[in-house]
Amino acid sequence: MIRHDYSRVDPKRRANLDYKRRQFAKAEFQQQNYEHRLNFYVLPPTAEITLEEFETWAINRLKVLSELEACSFRNKGPEETADYMKSILDKHLPLRPDSSRSQKLQEERRKDHYSHFILRLAFSSTEDLRRRFSRLETMLFRLRFKDDDPRERQEFVRSLNLEWDEVQEDEKRELKEELLAASGHKKGEEQEWFKVDWERVPELVEQRRVLLKRGKAYVPQREQMSLVVADFTKKLDDALELTARALPRLDEDDRLAPILAHLSQSFTAPDAAYSSSDANIDGLSAIRATSIDALSQNFPLCMRNLHMTLRENSHLKHFGRLQYTLFLKGIGLSLDECLMFWRRSFKLIDDDKFQKEYKYNIRHAYGDVGGDANRRGRGYTPYSCQKLLTEPQPGPGQTHGCPYRTYKPENLLPLLQRVGVTDRDVLKTVKEDVSKQRYHVACNTVFEWTHKRQIKKVADDNSWSASDLDTIVHPNTYFKRSWLLTHLGQASAGLAPAAAAPHTVED
Ligand code: SF4
């Protein structure tokens, strides 16, 4: 396999680089030895990797970070997050301790090291990306720090040489009462204290778990993790700023630029493209125009709302028709059946008007007519949640978009009740999420409540993996998963929707 330097400077050009650029060109290409499982990512990697490794490792890490972000969106607590992330980390970014005696320790640590730096390059361009990247990397570090082997963790912390001043005995005596009050400990309970500039431990200050005095935070030993994590974040934030400043000078490698652009795009818009596998549902026979009423029970609220409006008015406005047509195409409805579906649904108009005013648009959505812009005969792709949640709000009489966003709470809750969501706690959670603009979180909450029993079953008997139940980010995935769960045991064997997830950053 052809190998490529990780450095982004062409070696032939390296000799002619000016003084400032030479700092990037002079890297010594050598393999590092990773003594610890945890890493503060202070030194960039300098050994060679292939372009394929470059991309695959970055995508693997991105998958992990996206899942972590989904956990925080969904308010999962630390324990729940750790549980959920276990299989995802094992699959995409395993990192075993020394005590495992695995042959792959160095390999895993190398991948972790490189993937961090690749994403650092990809996500340092804007303030917003930097903030998100830093927050998620910090979450990942904290997760690993917590579950590290205690002895190895201590060795790692020692290796950091962090600048913490130990509080000496005379100062401890002087501040005895205040230290006791801050720690919540009783008299006689001895413990060690460190002092650091208070800005370095904002989390502890905010939670009043330290004593603040003369600009210093006095931190008890047991809060060591917060200190280490705060230091990790600070170093990463500083490094991201530096990388951002260096980015224009790094923009030299034609091979890496598209990969980095693609990575940052996936992160900016966690959009999920539709996967044609969403149309292949084990156990669901060919969908007919006449099946849609029954199938609509498994539709997400955005499509259910369109369907109900269509049935009530025998009509839908243009954008609603387009959104719904693409969704129906995405679940596997053929063009002929789709035309029949719309013809029968628009029962207040005559054939002539249907042929002239509506038929063309439906055929166009399927790619049956139209030019180059129409994706070379494949038509348009069913809309993702990301698209539906970011398009302009519908005007009067229009019903397209995501109702979690387009409806006011006083209208959304009755709509949910109408489709059978009656649990008061669920409705309350939805209301809260919607008020914080976490629309797709609200939708996932409704999905989980609706399929609570079946989700428990597939989790208990391990017939679906955790990733089969990832956060839903596409209406067509919602349908496929909902249908499969509703028909558990009825579909043919091997119905776990491994292919149901839309193409995400993993693809
Ligand atoms: Fe539809 Fe997505 Fe909104 Fe759910 S979050 S209602 S699937 S657009």
Side-chain angles (χ1 to χ4, degrees):
M1 187 182 300
I2 302 165
R3 298 187 74 86
H4 301 260
D5 292 343
Y6 174 69
S7 159
R8 309 187 69 209
V9 181
D10 185 336
K12 284 187 203 132
R13 278 188 271 158
R14 195 171 289 139
N16 303 323
L17 293 176
D18 66 23
Y19 159 73
K20 279 187 181 161
R21 284 181 171 187
R22 238 176 282 148
Q23 60 182 313
F24 292 100
K26 269 193 162 175
E28 285 174 25
F29 300 107
Q30 58 183 15
Q31 203 76 260
Q32 284 187 29
N33 184 42
Y34 300 97
E35 271 182 53
H36 305 283
R37 172 178 177 260
L38 298 168
N39 196 335
F40 252 41
Y41 311 109
V42 175
L43 292 175
T46 52
E48 289 183 339
I49 58 170
T50 64
L51 262 188
E52 196 186 343
E53 284 170 329
F54 184 94
E55 185 166 21
T56 315
W57 293 355
I59 288 173
N60 284 167
R61 192 177 196 92
L62 194 51
K63 173 78 181 159
V64 167
L65 297 187
S66 304
E67 289 294 342
L68 271 173
E69 188 164 58
C71 287
S72 84
F73 273 159
R74 306 174 87 185
N75 272 343
K76 285 189 195 279
E79 309 281 299
E80 219 186 329
T81 301
D83 257 15
Y84 177 78
M85 291 302 297
K86 190 168 180 331
S87 58
I88 292 162
L89 281 165
D90 286 348
K91 181 172 169 196
H92 298 287
L93 215 54
L95 205 54
R96 276 168 278 210
D98 291 349
S99 54
S100 70
R101 303 201 184 287
S102 161
Q103 299 288 317
K104 294 190 170 167
L105 285 189
Q106 289 299 316
E107 206 180 298
E108 289 174 358
R109 292 173 188 185
R110 189 161 157 253
K111 176 177 171 184
D112 176 61
H113 187 204
Y114 277 77
S115 61
H116 170 91
F117 271 92
I118 299 167
L119 292 196
R120 197 189 270 192
L121 272 184
F123 303 137
S124 53
S125 58
T126 69
E127 168 79 36
D128 184 46
L129 279 175
R130 288 196 291 275
R131 215 178 311 122
R132 261 175 83 200
F133 180 66
S134 165
R135 190 170 55 82
L136 295 173
E137 280 287 332
T138 302
M139 276 178 81
L140 178 61
F141 180 82
R142 185 185 288 116
L143 199 71
R144 287 168 163 174
F145 189 89
K146 263 189 180 167
D147 83 344
D148 203 14
D149 174 283
R151 191 183 50 78
E152 290 174 36
R153 180 171 52 205
Q154 235 14 65
E155 278 168 17
F156 169 72
V157 174
R158 233 173 274 134
S159 76
L160 294 174
N161 293 323
L162 296 172
E163 293 154 2
W164 304 339
D165 292 338
E166 222 172 290
V167 181
Q168 301 303 322
E169 284 307 318
D170 46 350
E171 195 174 4
K172 261 202 271 179
R173 265 196 303 278
E174 182 202 330
L175 300 174
K176 192 171 168 190
E177 296 302 324
E178 287 165 279
L179 288 173
L180 276 176
S183 70
H185 276 225
K186 298 192 193 83
K187 275 191 180 160
E189 280 179 341
E190 277 301 313
Q191 72 168 317
E192 295 308 314
W193 292 80
F194 299 100
K195 61 179 172 182
V196 292
D197 289 337
W198 71 268
E199 295 101 329
R200 287 180 56 188
V201 284
E203 216 177 274
L204 294 178
V205 173
E206 194 184 312
Q207 294 165 12
R208 296 167 197 256
R209 279 153 50 199
V210 289
L211 169 68
L212 284 180
K213 200 138 186 109
R214 301 184 279 259
K216 296 280 180 194
Y218 289 71
V219 186
Q221 167 90 35
R222 68 183 144 83
E223 304 289 1
Q224 189 190 55
M225 183 175 87
S226 301
L227 270 175
V228 177
V229 171
D231 223 75
F232 174 87
T233 312
K234 175 157 190 331
K235 286 200 164 66
L236 178 56
D237 287 345
D238 292 349
L240 281 166
E241 286 287 340
L242 281 178
T243 314
R245 270 184 257 152
L247 268 186
R249 281 178 280 150
L250 292 173
D251 196 18
E252 301 203 7
D253 194 320
D254 298 344
R255 298 159 307 166
L256 303 187
I259 301 177
L260 292 171
H262 175 71
L263 288 169
S264 70
Q265 249 168 27
S266 316
F267 202 53
T268 318
D271 192 6
Y274 167 76
S275 156
S276 55
S277 64
D278 277 345
N280 304 321
I281 306 181
D282 265 356
L284 178 60
S285 48
I287 300 174
R288 308 252 143 174
T290 46
S291 338
I292 303 299
D293 281 325
L295 291 176
S296 71
Q297 303 295 318
N298 294 103
F299 289 178
L301 197 61
C302 47
M303 304 303 166
R304 190 106 187 247
N305 189 35
L306 288 174
H307 189 78
M308 291 191 305
T309 310
L310 176 64
R311 285 292 172 253
E312 274 157 26
N313 303 343
S314 299
H315 191 264
L316 270 187
K317 292 209 170 193
H318 174 74
F319 289 113
R321 276 199 319 273
L322 182 58
Q323 175 179 324
Y324 199 30
T325 300
L326 293 175
F327 170 79
L328 294 174
K329 173 184 154 193
I331 69 172
L333 189 70
S334 68
L335 172 60
D336 285 346
E337 289 293 325
C338 192
L339 285 168
M340 197 179 303
F341 169 77
W342 284 111
R343 179 66 205 98
R344 286 180 183 165
S345 301
F346 279 23
K347 46 188 172 209
L348 304 180
I349 58 165
D350 61 29
D351 249 352
D352 193 38
K353 189 171 164 69
F354 183 81
Q355 301 287 342
K356 279 198 196 127
E357 294 181 23
Y358 300 102
K359 192 173 174 183
Y360 183 87
N361 284 344
I362 300 164
R363 289 178 60 204
H364 192 261
Y366 271 74
D368 193 44
V369 286
D372 285 355
N374 198 13
R375 304 272 184 112
R376 288 188 289 280
R378 281 180 285 122
Y380 294 106
T381 310
Y383 294 159
S384 68
C385 299
Q386 178 80 24
K387 167 143 180 67
L388 294 173
L389 284 165
T390 48
E391 63 186 7
Q393 291 273 5
Q398 294 181 318
T399 345
H400 62 274
C402 170
Y404 292 99
R405 168 174 174 251
T406 57
Y407 274 51
K408 293 207 170 87
E410 58 269 31
N411 299 330
L412 175 65
L413 298 190
L415 176 66
L416 282 168
Q417 284 164 326
R418 222 179 124 196
V419 298
V421 183
T422 48
D423 187 287
R424 284 170 65 176
D425 289 340
V426 171
L427 293 171
K428 190 164 159 252
T429 311
V430 165
K431 202 171 160 192
E432 280 166 14
D433 281 333
V434 164
S435 72
K436 292 179 195 149
Q437 303 187 337
R438 304 186 331 165
Y439 309 114
H440 86 282
V441 176
C443 178
N444 276 272
T445 303
V446 167
F447 180 88
E448 281 167 16
W449 177 80
T450 312
H451 301 288
K452 194 169 40 187
R453 199 172 41 81
Q454 298 102 323
I455 290 174
K456 183 173 180 322
K457 185 172 182 309
V458 293
D460 285 351
D461 64 18
N462 283 326
S463 51
W464 287 24
S465 69
S467 54
D468 292 331
L469 292 164
D470 278 357
T471 309
I472 294 172
V473 289
H474 201 293
N476 286 81
T477 308
Y478 187 112
F479 168 72
K480 180 169 185 173
R481 210 179 281 178
S482 171
W483 193 90
L484 286 169
L485 285 170
T486 311
H487 297 82
L488 271 185
Q490 295 171 30
S492 58
L495 55 62
H503 286 167
T504 58
V505 289
E506 195 184 7
D507 298 304

